[in-house]
Structure formats: C-alpha cells, structure tokens
C-alpha cells in the first residue's frame, strides 16, 4: 500500500489510523518519508508512528514496530505478518487440471529463501525517570532501524524491569541507549 507524498497534509493534528489486510507469512517493508526532513516532530509537535498486527492497537504486544518522529527525511522498517504456512508435499497418480478452472484468492508463496532471524533478549532496569529513557537498534551496514523505543515510550513505568525479545537477521548493529535527562540510570539507596 502506498500513499503519495502530501497524502496526510490536510489531516487535523491527532492520530490517523488506517487498517490493511496483508497476507500472512510474507516479508514487508514500511517506509516513511518527510519532505521537510524533520520527520513528524519538532515545530509541529512530537509525532510518532506504529504498526500493529491484529485489530487491537491498544495492545502493545501486537505492535510490530514503533518509530519516534525524529527520523529526518525517511526511515524504513522490515517486518513479517503472522507465521508462514507451509504444506507437506503430496503426490498423486492423477495429473492436475491445467489451467485451473477458477483463479485462486491467495497469492502464491515465493520460492526465494527467507532470512533467518535470531532473537536477541534485552533487559533494561528503569530508574525513577522512565519517561527519559529510550533505545533503538539499527543495522550498521544500511541504517535500517529494527526497533525504536523513543524517550517517552516507557512513561509511567518507573523502576520497572523491561524485557524485550527482538528478532534480527545476522549482521552488525548499532545499539543506542537514550536518556533525554542526561543523568543516566540513577538508583539511590
């Protein structure tokens, strides 16, 4: 699904929610572009974007990724919807009818190999200023952001321990831990 540049320019300030049905088990790319080069932040407010799997956008466990508004001209995320469905091969003595009488309603599955993902478990112990803390993980080779938890994402979760499992393809990554307050993690006795 593509939206032309300027598609959202007449939207009032607030949340825009769009729902799309995507075939499961396929890999997708989400790309956001901003003509002014300031993302969806700054002078116009603190914007963000998120993509969820399923219908409940209030369920954080269904979130595929989140991006803060500070992305400059563009940012990309790669994701897979659902689980790939594969069937065991079958054989028959009777040949199939070709061409088929009616078209299929499902897309064909690509024969190209899928990328192996490795799960990285991340644990962060937040201090009493959780709203100041965030992080992101990006590919060193091409800058693709695989997970983005901007400052404010953990607002209201003071002194909690956060655990996330992050699927990543093999490669080198830049991990940035962000602290808008500049005080780091502080745990007084």
């Amino acid at each position: 699904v593509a939206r032309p540049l300027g598609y959202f320019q007449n939207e009032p300030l607030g949340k825009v929610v769009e729902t799309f049905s995507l075939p499961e088990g396929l890999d997708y790319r989400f790309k956001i572009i901003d003509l002014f080069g300031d993302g969806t932040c700054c002078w116009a407010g603190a914007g963000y974007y998120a993509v969820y799997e399923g219908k409940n956008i209030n369920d954080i466990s269904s979130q595929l990724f989140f991006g803060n508004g500070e992305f400059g001209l563009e940012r990309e995320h790669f994701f897979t919807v659902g689980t790939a469905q594969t069937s065991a091969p079958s054989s028959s003595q009777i040949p199939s009818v070709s061409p088929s009488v009616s078209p299929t309603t499902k897309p064909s599955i690509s024969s190209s190999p899928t990328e192996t993902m490795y799960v990285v478990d991340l644990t962060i112990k937040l201090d009493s200023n959780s709203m100041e803390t965030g992080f992101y993980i990006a590919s060193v080779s091409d800058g693709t952001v695989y997970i983005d938890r901007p400052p404010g994402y953990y607002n209201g979760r003071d002194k909690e321990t956060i655990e996330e499992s992050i699927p990543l393809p093999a490669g080198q990554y830049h991990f940035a831990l962000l602290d808008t307050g500049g005080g780091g993690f502080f745990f007084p006795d």
Side-chain angles (χ1 to χ4, degrees), residues 51 82 88 96 120 122 124 131 136 144 149 165 179:
V51 171
S96 61
V120 175
L122 176 67
I124 300 174
M131 64 186 274
Y136 69 87
T144 299
R149 301 289 188 250
S165 294
D179 176 23

Side-chain angles (χ1 to χ4, degrees), residues 124-143:
I124 300 174
K125 171 75 171 138
L126 298 170
D127 62 12
S128 60
N129 294 312
S130 62
M131 64 186 274
E132 297 176 351
T133 303
F135 74 90
Y136 69 87
I137 297 176
S139 169
V140 169
S141 63
D142 65 7

Side-chain angles (χ1 to χ4, degrees), residues 8 41 57 102 151 175:
F8 296 108
C41 77
I57 65 172
S102 60
F175 172 77

Side-chain angles (χ1 to χ4, degrees), residues 8-144:
F8 296 108
Q9 72 184 8
N10 294 324
E11 289 291 329
L13 295 178
K15 184 186 285 188
V16 176
V17 177
E18 291 195 87
T19 303
F20 304 100
S21 295
L22 301 173
E24 291 187 358
L26 300 177
D27 297 327
Y28 295 93
R29 175 178 72 159
F30 173 90
K31 185 174 186 178
I32 186 168
I33 301 170
D34 179 70
L35 288 176
F36 291 110
D38 62 354
T40 59
C41 77
C42 312
W43 65 271
Y48 68 92
Y49 57 91
V51 171
Y52 297 84
E53 184 170 11
K55 295 181 180 182
N56 187 357
I57 65 172
N58 296 316
D59 178 8
I60 194 72
S61 68
S62 69
Q63 187 177 83
L64 295 172
F65 59 85
F66 176 93
N68 67 16
E70 298 179 30
F71 59 83
L73 289 171
E74 67 182 52
R75 183 172 287 165
E76 286 185 319
H77 296 272
F78 295 89
F79 62 99
T80 303
V81 174
T83 305
Q85 301 293 320
T86 56
S87 302
S90 62
S91 62
S92 172
Q93 299 298 325
I94 303 169
S96 61
V97 177
S98 184
S100 65
V101 176
S102 60
T104 64
T105 59
K106 294 182 180 179
S108 60
I109 301 298
S110 169
S111 62
S112 62
T114 58
E115 193 169 25
T116 301
M117 302 297 274
Y118 299 89
V119 176
V120 175
D121 293 321
L122 176 67
T123 304
I124 300 174
K125 171 75 171 138
L126 298 170
D127 62 12
S128 60
N129 294 312
S130 62
M131 64 186 274
E132 297 176 351
T133 303
F135 74 90
Y136 69 87
I137 297 176
S139 169
V140 169
S141 63
D142 65 7
T144 299

